[in-house]
Amino acid sequence: MNLLNETFEREIPIDIWGEGDKSYKNKMVTLILKIDERMAYRVYDEFHEENIVKNPDGSFNVITNFPEDDWIYGYVMSYGEYAEVIEPKDIREIIKIKFQEGLKKYL
């Protein structure tokens, strides 16, 4: 194996959701999440520090913007029992229903 001295530079877009599919621009949603302290590693890896508030109980409140589609539901659900959608209420309800439907497969 030979190591090469080649490098490259890549410009990272400021608004990654603005790349490619412009339909996301019209479907952005602001989420307020409450995330358990056991997920601190993910909170600090996945969100900007200025969007994170550490609560007295050790949990975190996070304010973030994502395109509203099935991806966002799966993303929030990937936190399992360690995350709760505080706002908006309609997304909170959709995720609640998705968890209930998934649970039916195990009962």
Side-chain angles (χ1 to χ4, degrees), residues 77-94:
M77 292 173 72
S78 76
Y79 280 88
E81 72 226 48
Y82 301 111
E84 175 184 4
V85 175
I86 304 300
E87 291 288 335
K89 299 292 186 198
D90 61 323
I91 291 181
R92 179 183 172 93
E93 187 62 26
I94 290 168

Side-chain angles (χ1 to χ4, degrees), residues 23-90:
S23 65
Y24 284 127
K25 288 284 189 191
N26 299 328
K27 298 191 301 186
M28 295 299 285
V29 63
T30 299
L31 285 179
I32 301 174
L33 304 171
K34 183 174 182 183
I35 302 174
D36 188 277
E37 65 185 327
R38 289 173 278 191
M39 295 288 112
Y41 69 97
R42 282 189 66 182
V43 169
Y44 288 111
D45 280 352
E46 297 172 8
F47 301 101
H48 293 288
E49 200 167 327
E50 63 267 15
N51 297 339
I52 302 168
V53 174
K54 189 162 187 179
N55 298 317
D57 67 357
S59 68
F60 302 92
N61 280 9
V62 177
I63 299 174
T64 189
N65 294 304
F66 283 123
E68 185 179 355
D69 61 13
D70 280 338
W71 180 87
I72 197 173
Y73 311 133
Y75 174 75
V76 172
M77 292 173 72
S78 76
Y79 280 88
E81 72 226 48
Y82 301 111
E84 175 184 4
V85 175
I86 304 300
E87 291 288 335
K89 299 292 186 198
D90 61 323

